[in-house]
Amino acid sequence: MCLPCATPVRGKAYGVECLASVLGADLAAAAEQPVRAPDARARSVARLGFLFATLATVLPWSRFGPGAEAFGAWSRASRWSLVAALAAVLGLGLSLVQRSPRLRSRGWDLAVAALGAAVTVTALLFVAFPPAFSRPWLGPWIAAAAGALACGATVVAARTAAPAAVRI
């Protein structure tokens, strides 16, 4: 038996052919229990954060003036609210697409975390620099909190993600 085929079990090395007979019930019990990766829960929290950030774009973003109506983040009067809205929608889409096992990598996690950070920063920039003669309202605060949640959860997912399995 070659070295890559040797699997140590209980102090002895077995080949792929004999492994099922040696493990027997242990292998069958392990195969029946679905194993959920520890980063899956964190990615679900990130999706929830992006969902709340996207829903925050529906709210008014200012008390009066531009952005005071429904879908206030989508008004062209403030570039910060529009960037936050686009980052929230892109983050939600990317985090939903990331449910595919092929896209679960640290590079994709970095992209999702960057979108969460973009939502947070641009929503806070809207609060700091609202449109002329206007005051920020509820939308940017919810978007900033939800973006921070999405960014933090994605960073946790990237740190707890299991390394890709090597198949021979």
Side-chain angles (χ1 to χ4, degrees):
M1 133 178 52
C2 63
L3 188 59
C5 295
T7 305
V9 177
R10 299 180 192 116
K12 294 182 181 178
Y14 294 97
V16 179
E17 306 84 25
C18 301
L19 193 59
S21 63
V22 170
L23 291 178
D26 294 340
L27 181 65
E32 289 176 9
Q33 297 175 352
V35 177
R36 186 169 183 180
D39 59 331
R41 189 173 312 234
R43 284 193 177 96
S44 296
V45 171
R47 276 190 292 277
L48 187 65
F50 279 118
L51 178 66
F52 283 138
T54 302
L55 291 176
T57 67
V58 176
L59 297 172
W61 276 47
S62 62
R63 291 186 188 269
F64 48 86
E69 65 280 345
F71 296 97
W74 296 98
S75 69
R76 299 175 105 189
S78 173
R79 62 183 177 268
W80 299 121
S81 65
L82 192 56
V83 172
L86 289 172
V89 170
L90 286 174
L92 179 62
L94 190 58
S95 66
L96 287 172
V97 169
Q98 198 180 16
R99 294 176 86 174
S100 168
R102 294 181 316 171
L103 299 179
R104 290 185 196 149
S105 69
R106 292 209 165 105
W108 285 102
D109 286 337
L110 180 64
V112 173
L115 287 170
V119 170
T120 303
V121 169
T122 54
L124 291 176
L125 281 172
F126 180 87
V127 170
F129 305 106
F133 308 111
S134 181
R135 296 184 58 122
W137 196 61
L138 190 60
W141 294 108
I142 293 175
L149 175 70
C151 181
T154 305
V155 168
V156 168
R159 297 192 83 193
T160 60
V166 178
R167 293 188 180 183
I168 299 175

